[in-house]
Amino acid sequence: MLSRSSFTSLAVGVFVVYVAHTCWVMYGIVHTRPCAPPPAASTPPATTPAACIWPYLARRPQLQLSVYTTTRSNIGAENNIDLVLNVENFDVESKFERTVNVSVPKKTRNNGTLYAYVFLHHAGILPWHDGKQVHIVSPLTTYMVPKPEEINLLTGESFTQQIEAERKQTNALDEPVSHWRSRLTLNVMVEDFVFDGSSLPADVHRYMKMVQLGKTVHYLPILFIDQLSNRVKDLMIINRSTTELPLTVSYDKISLGKLRFWIHMQDAVYSLQQFGFSEKDADEVKGIFVDTNLYFLALTFFVAAFHLLFDFLSFKNDISFWKKKKSMIGMSTKAVLWRCFSTVVIFLFLLDEQTSLLVLIPAGIGAVIELWKVKKALKMTVKLRGLKPTILFGAYSESEKKTEEYDTQAMKYLSYLLYPLCVGGAVYSLLNIKYKSWYSWLINSFVNGVYAFGFLFMLPQLFVNYKMKSVAHLPWKAFTYKAFNTFIDDIFAFIITMPTSHRLACFRDDVVFLVYLYQRWLYPVDKSRMNEYGESYEEKPKRKPHRD
């Protein structure tokens, strides 16, 4: 069996190897080895290695950009397609953005799919008559469950209107409907990069089309559609009465390194969707990459890696602490119960708000751990008598009863302030804020009380610490890792989409931990006092010297 220190060292070692491997992989993505020796000229010389693949854009051809729409996923000619955008004398170096109106066919209005075909071809020649054209296909529609409408539970609508709204919401929750992607972001790789045919990157290879020109091989312009820019906030529900919808087509050049990085990120988002992530969950990941610059993105990666490490270490130390916990001396049972209640409520709130799985999964794991800690704190045991389970509670020692008295005394004073605030906030929100259902109002009322006044429930533990003049009974290792994660959460609060109340709670936790640190300084550890495992660190008395 590995000791706790060895297990922690192993976890940190695995983490360091993972970060180093990820940095090496990222370097390999953004830095592509060119064909050696790279010539100084941008065009192939008379004698060139046979494995080199040259850029066709180096010839500076006259190009044209055409965007068509159709309900078919494959087209062979110009039948049943609509031209929505035509850019003559297309300059790959010039950035532009144009908004066009697209006719929506009846098939698409009936929950069908509409595709965009983007062609880059020689000017003055139709795409299907040009042997050196490149094209790419992208759906302009996606299927997603619409967000339920919110209503005023008391005065907003009549009873009949509420019944109709509830029926509409039920159907919406059961059936995904077609949504319109109002943005189409195009990129062309403009670097005059000479690829080595013997070590061609697999990610770029599937976007490349090569032609033989004389004795050399050229790759045609690499056309790319940035799917990461398709955000949920830009989606529009397609109604059966809709005949036209706006489409914003934007273009910008892209470097080879960023192109390869973007391809890998799109593949990662696609993999998440295959594993069951919804469109909204994938959108949270997209926002991390699209809404931040490259340097901030690198910082986000390292912050996320350390967050994962500290999450693991805090869970591990917290479980280890409570697993060996045999006495509740110095521990506030009310604080444990409240922490369990608040964690479960926050998890249900995040679930009701359809928050990203990046936030939801850790919250769910934390809720399960808090339920287990309540079982340990109350000394609960479950025994089966036939098919009927029976819950038994253990007895408390005299010292534990003294701690319970301090705990009850603190909760008595706290209830005079906390309960009126929570009830008043719930009534105010019922009168002034719209909700999807009564369940949504109940969960929001609970969670607003947790977020706004939840830190008050840490006061019983602080009061117990004050009465006992000690903090030796607290799980300081787990607290330390959680504190690091709290400061990391402050950074994530500005990156990942989450409810505003959850974002503010991240900063509230900083204050709570600083108060604990102050008590740690105020009440130094007394080695003669029992620690969290029921052990004493007092040194054994020295033996008297032997007399001859």
Side-chain angles (χ1 to χ4, degrees), residues 34 63 77 202 212 223 252 289 330 344 348 364 373 410 431 436 471 482 519 521 530:
L63 299 175
Q212 184 81 32
L223 183 62
D252 197 4
F289 299 113
V344 173
L348 294 175
K373 286 159 65 173
L431 295 174
K436 294 176 289 186
V471 293
K482 287 181 180 179
Q519 284 197 330
W521 170 81
M530 301 290 281

Side-chain angles (χ1 to χ4, degrees), residues 65-115:
L65 181 70
S66 302
V67 181
Y68 296 86
T69 59
T70 179
T71 56
R72 297 178 297 171
S73 58
N74 294 299
I75 59 173
E78 50 184 323
N79 298 325
N80 298 323
I81 60 174
D82 295 325
L83 178 65
V84 296
L85 180 64
N86 186 29
V87 182
E88 299 179 353
N89 298 322
F90 175 66
D91 183 9
V92 295
E93 298 285 346
S94 300
K95 178 180 179 181
F96 73 83
E97 180 174 295
R98 299 182 187 180
T99 301
V100 295
N101 290 324
V102 179
S103 298
V104 183
K106 183 178 180 180
K107 182 179 179 181
T108 304
R109 296 198 297 267
N110 293 328
N111 259 12
T113 304
L114 190 65
Y115 297 93

